[in-house]
Amino acid sequence: MIEYPSGFKLVITGNIGVGKSTVVRKFIKKLSIDCSGFKTEKIIEQGKIAGYSLTEIGGKSEIFAHIDFPKRVSIQNYGVDTSVFRKFGRDILRHSINSNKIILMDELGIIEKKEPIFCNKVKGIFLSNHPVVAVIQKRVLDFWLEDFNDADFFEVTLENRESILKKLLQYWELFVSRET
């Protein structure tokens, strides 16, 4: 079984649509990192974004925002079901913390902030020694990391999104070499 470096905390941030998740996918693939956790995926209908789902790495997914959902809680044009984070998201993170894998959280944004149970689980993971790769929208970075500053941050921009992967790989090598 692979031993991942204890305390490894990598946060990728940037504006919406800049390519944060793409960079992280390339990083994980290049290093053949075994992850548990979640990713947020767009739901495309008739060529347009109709919503978003929370998908467990290697598992099922649940829709948490959709244009056809009731707008009791809404962000932009999407009705939001925050209970997906309270229940399903919490369960994903609970399972992840018990794994011997790097925890991937892709991504943390505004909608997730509305569920305190989920937020507390995320913050607990950041405060643990468990290795983490997190993608966080730049506009909510302060919220997610208000009590935690023991991570290394890389910002993806339109200008650096093609070159930042090399920097992330160098960072990984440096971190792993400090552990040995």
Side-chain angles (χ1 to χ4, degrees):
M1 190 174 307
I2 296 172
E3 288 288 324
Y4 292 111
S6 175
F8 178 79
K9 302 285 190 276
L10 174 62
V11 174
I12 305 297
T13 192
N15 293 323
I16 294 172
V18 78
K20 301 177 297 293
S21 296
T22 301
V23 168
V24 166
R25 277 195 307 273
K26 289 178 181 178
F27 175 74
I28 289 168
K29 184 177 182 179
K30 186 83 169 163
L31 293 174
S32 299
I33 294 174
D34 197 13
C35 294
S36 63
F38 67 87
K39 55 187 175 179
T40 302
E41 297 184 314
K42 295 175 185 169
I43 299 167
I44 306 295
E45 294 175 1
Q46 299 174 343
K48 295 182 181 178
I49 300 172
Y52 294 89
S53 66
L54 184 66
T55 302
E56 183 174 17
I57 305 297
K60 66 178 190 165
S61 64
E62 290 190 22
I63 298 171
F64 66 86
H66 198 276
I67 55 174
D68 293 335
F69 280 7
K71 306 287 193 282
R72 290 184 297 273
V73 176
S74 64
I75 299 285
Q76 296 170 339
N77 297 328
Y78 308 103
V80 177
D81 179 2
T82 59
S83 73
V84 170
F85 293 100
R86 183 174 59 249
K87 298 172 186 169
F88 182 56
R90 180 204 59 212
D91 290 347
I92 292 171
L93 294 177
R94 196 180 282 157
H95 173 262
S96 297
I97 202 85
N98 292 323
S99 73
N100 191 32
K101 300 176 181 178
I102 290 182
I103 297 175
L104 173 64
M105 296 185 283
D106 180 10
E107 81 180 15
L108 298 169
I110 288 178
I111 295 172
E112 298 86 341
K113 284 174 51 174
K114 297 181 180 293
E115 274 303 331
I117 291 171
F118 180 78
C119 293
N120 289 337
K121 198 60 136 169
V122 167
K123 290 179 180 190
I125 288 171
F126 276 123
L127 293 170
S128 75
N129 276 333
H130 215 89
V132 174
V133 175
V135 176
I136 304 176
Q137 292 175 2
K138 186 177 179 179
R139 62 184 175 169
V140 291
L141 192 59
D142 290 344
F143 170 82
W144 286 107
L145 301 176
E146 66 187 344
D147 299 323
F148 177 77
N149 59 6
D150 195 22
D152 291 298
F153 297 84
F154 290 83
E155 183 174 354
V156 178
T157 65
L158 291 174
E159 294 76 26
N160 76 0
R161 69 180 175 186
E162 298 303 321
S163 63
I164 198 165
L165 179 60
K166 183 177 179 181
K167 290 180 183 173
L168 293 173
L169 295 170
Q170 290 169 342
Y171 163 76
W172 173 263
E173 292 302 320
L174 179 64
F175 195 95
V176 169
S177 70
R178 287 191 307 211
E179 288 286 302
T180 56

